[in-house]
Amino acid sequence: MTDGVNGVALAVFIFFFVAVTVMGFMAARWRRAANEASLDEWGLGGRSFGTWVTWFLLGGDLYTAYTFVAVPAAIYAAGAAGFFAVPYTILVYPLIFTFLPRLWSVSHKHGYVTTSDFVRGRFGSKGLSLAVAVTGILATMPYIALQLVGIQAVLDVMGVGGGENTNWFVKDLPLLIAFAVLAAYTYSSGLRAPALIAFVKDGLIYLVIAVAIIYIPIKLGGFDDIFAAARDKFTEAGAGGLVPAEAGQWGYATLALGSALALFMYPHSITATLSSRSREVIRRNTTILPLYSLMLGLLALLGFMAIAAGVKVDNGQLAIPQLFENMFPDWFAGVAFAAIGIGALVPAAIMSIAAANLFTRNIYKDFLKPDATPEQETKVSKVVSLLVKVGALAFVLTMDKTVAINFQLLGGIWILQTMPALVGGLFTRWFHRWALLAGWAAGMIYGTAAAYGVASPTQKHFGGSSDEIPGLGEIGYIGLTAFVLNVLVTVVLTFVLNAVKAPAGIDETSPADYTADAGDPGVEAELPPATAGAPGGH
């Protein structure tokens, strides 16, 4: 790690940071609507984005600083087991092709802004809707924190903020500045800001990966030498080489499957989806988003390159930024650092907006102020988006950075428990609302308790996301085990509650709503006044 500040890399980083900041504020004028004081406009970009804007927005949403920092870091530390992110992004797209268009259609028909809006309308249950909303907010917080960790990683490698003995305020000042800028343009421009910046972010990421996958292997003697160095490291460490040991294969497979099921349960994924202007935009995106999986596979190889390059770091999150620092010319290292930094800003903005929309629509409006106007909803959502970022910043500044990935995986355990209500509700009304709530509670309690009992060399609790699968004796992903328990409880209780004819709640949707597209007769009729007829929305 550099002993001083890398001035050239820092200058390039600042240039791109300033550029996207300007874009973030200018985005408020991009596709400006006649009525901006509504969550449809601030929180969903007017539901007006086409195929390519949605593609970049979803890519910026899903392939984040986590991609650049944590995935290669996992491979750097654990070998091929860290590749679990590659198969799960392959599995996820056939899954979302089956249900995302249905969610878009019913949400467009009824003006739903969040998944909890749909759950409340489908099952007639504010309690179940509240459970989904709270889970979404809880799961999003560590995800936002992980983005800020990505920014801090590149700042550390560039030598910004001083050493470990530096005054805490001086050390964290650059991160505080980045946070303040992010908060300001998100407050001002809403979802339009990350949608516009995503073009720059994805362009930089593709550029950096294309250069890294060619330039770094040339400097290291080729891929043969890279894989040999990685194999030797893990063999000497008793890990059995590059391939995960047999005992770890269940963990690998269940983590990949569970992560695939969870990815589009996150509020920010749904927010980006609902911002699309038509059902066909969603269907097209599920066919072209796998291009990002190709990028992810190449990016993951950087973990092995860091081993071959002799990168030594105490915090694995710094491995890839340090690799760029060591291997690239200073000016291109700055470009790579900017790609990571902007790769953190875009998803952090979308995530904070999504969490704020959940609070506003499903807590504030449902329980605190049912008669809130669209203008009041927008103001509350803007303020809450700031508070969400403050919470994530507090996490980064007070917690051990090395456990950021484990807390994000804990969020995955939680958000997966909303799948029966959301995806199940898109295809059937058979599940009883009380059974879904009980199943959610069972999955949340089991998943949290099991994760709490997992220790690691650096922490006593929440040290990982894998534990023994009851009845099988294999080590697997806790989230998937909790999900299975969730579904079992839901199915059993649904049989019981339907048998005793427990009140099922009122379903405000109809079968035709799930296949409706923009422009279909009657689609605008049921939208709230602030949504119906919004320019560019249909």
Side-chain angles (χ1 to χ4, degrees):
M1 190 170 297
T2 182
D3 294 329
V5 176
N6 187 331
V8 174
L10 179 60
V12 175
F13 179 87
I14 292 174
F15 168 79
F16 282 106
F17 187 84
V18 171
V20 298
T21 298
V22 172
M23 291 177 66
F25 285 109
M26 289 178 60
R29 301 182 180 181
W30 180 42
R31 303 188 179 199
R32 175 176 285 179
N35 177 19
E36 299 177 20
S38 73
L39 285 186
D40 260 39
E41 292 300 329
W42 182 82
L44 291 180
R47 301 181 191 254
S48 63
F49 297 148
T51 300
W52 289 111
V53 176
T54 302
W55 186 68
F56 279 105
L57 185 62
L58 279 170
D61 196 7
L62 303 176
Y63 297 87
T64 68
Y66 163 76
T67 309
F68 246 124
V69 174
V71 171
I75 292 168
Y76 170 82
F83 272 98
F84 80 90
V86 178
Y88 98 65
T89 59
I90 295 171
L91 290 170
V92 71
Y93 297 115
L95 290 173
I96 63 176
F97 186 86
T98 64
F99 72 83
L100 275 191
R102 294 178 66 84
L103 178 62
W104 184 93
S105 292
V106 70
S107 297
H108 189 82
K109 180 71 180 286
H110 292 275
Y112 297 148
V113 175
T114 68
T115 52
S116 293
D117 283 351
F118 164 70
V119 168
R120 182 193 62 233
R122 177 63 155 162
F123 296 101
S125 173
K126 286 187 178 181
L128 183 59
S129 170
L130 177 63
V132 172
V134 170
T135 305
I137 294 171
L138 284 176
T140 300
M141 291 292 288
Y143 219 154
I144 299 175
L146 193 65
Q147 311 315 312
L148 300 182
V149 168
I151 297 177
Q152 192 168 55
V154 297
L155 293 173
D156 286 348
V157 171
M158 285 190 294
V160 178
E164 291 298 326
N165 297 324
T166 305
N167 176 276
W168 74 267
F169 180 77
V170 173
K171 180 175 176 59
D172 294 323
L173 181 60
L175 184 62
L176 293 172
I177 293 173
F179 162 80
V181 170
L182 167 66
Y185 68 63
T186 303
Y187 186 94
S188 169
S189 304
L191 192 66
R192 287 178 171 82
L196 191 59
I197 295 171
F199 287 90
V200 177
K201 173 256 185 190
D202 286 357
L204 285 176
I205 286 180
Y206 273 108
L207 173 64
V208 170
I209 292 175
V211 172
I213 208 69
I214 297 171
Y215 178 78
I216 295 178
I218 290 175
K219 293 197 68 175
L220 294 176
F223 279 103
D224 283 350
D225 289 348
I226 290 170
F227 284 114
R231 180 198 60 214
D232 292 344
K233 173 190 172 180
F234 295 116
T235 300
E236 291 172 6
L242 294 179
V243 180
E246 185 176 349
Q249 292 174 8
W250 271 84
Y252 181 93
T254 54
L255 180 57
L257 177 58
S259 298
L261 295 176
L263 186 59
F264 272 82
M265 300 299 104
Y266 279 102
H268 55 276
S269 302
I270 301 301
T271 294
T273 299
L274 297 185
S275 69
S276 304
R277 70 178 175 216
S278 74
R279 176 185 174 93
E280 282 306 305
V281 167
I282 303 303
R283 293 167 65 90
R284 283 194 292 269
N285 263 272
T286 60
T287 63
I288 60 178
L289 275 169
L291 288 173
Y292 280 101
S293 296
L294 174 62
M295 176 200 73
L296 182 60
L298 298 175
L299 176 62
L301 293 175
L302 294 178
F304 289 149
M305 295 181 196
I307 295 171
V311 171
K312 303 292 183 184
V313 290
D314 294 329
N315 179 355
Q317 310 293 339
L318 302 179
I320 301 312
Q322 190 62 50
L323 174 69
F324 293 157
E325 170 84 2
N326 294 351
M327 303 301 295
F328 287 144
D330 288 347
W331 70 270
F332 197 76
V335 174
F337 294 153
I340 298 175
I342 299 171
L345 294 176
V346 170
I350 304 171
M351 291 168 189
S352 65
I353 291 170
N357 289 345
L358 280 170
F359 176 86
T360 301
R361 289 294 291 255
N362 309 114
I363 297 178
Y364 175 75
K365 184 174 176 64
D366 278 355
F367 294 96
L368 302 178
K369 192 173 177 60
D371 59 346
T373 64
E375 291 81 2
Q376 289 173 327
E377 287 182 14
T378 305
K379 289 179 180 178
V380 170
S381 202
K382 286 183 174 183
V383 172
V384 173
S385 75
L386 297 179
L387 296 177
V388 167
K389 294 186 193 73
V390 170
L393 184 65
F395 175 92
V396 172
L397 297 181
T398 58
M399 300 294 289
D400 183 353
K401 280 61 166 194
T402 62
V403 302
I405 181 64
N406 287 332
F407 276 96
Q408 188 272 325
L409 290 173
L410 179 62
I413 294 172
W414 291 334
I415 202 65
L416 185 52
Q417 308 318 311
T418 65
M419 188 177 185
L422 175 60
V423 178
L426 288 169
F427 293 95
T428 178
R429 188 64 162 57
W430 180 76
F431 294 120
H432 196 281
R433 54 180 177 165
W434 295 347
L436 286 166
L437 190 58
W440 166 85
M444 289 288 286
I445 293 171
Y446 172 82
T448 305
Y452 179 82
V454 177
S456 76
T458 58
Q459 58 190 122
K460 187 176 180 180
H461 302 292
F462 299 115
S465 59
S466 295
D467 198 10
E468 184 175 317
I469 303 173
L472 292 180
E474 301 284 352
I475 300 298
Y477 179 43
I478 294 169
L480 193 60
T481 306
F483 173 73
V484 172
L485 175 63
N486 181 343
V487 172
L488 287 174
V489 170
T490 299
V491 170
V492 170
L493 286 183
T494 294
F495 274 113
V496 173
L497 292 168
N498 287 343
V500 300
K501 301 188 183 303
I506 298 173
D507 180 6
E508 68 181 27
T509 70
S510 65
D513 297 345
Y514 295 88
T515 55
D517 205 346
D520 287 353
V523 167
E524 292 189 71
E526 296 185 29
L527 293 174
T531 304
H538 304 286

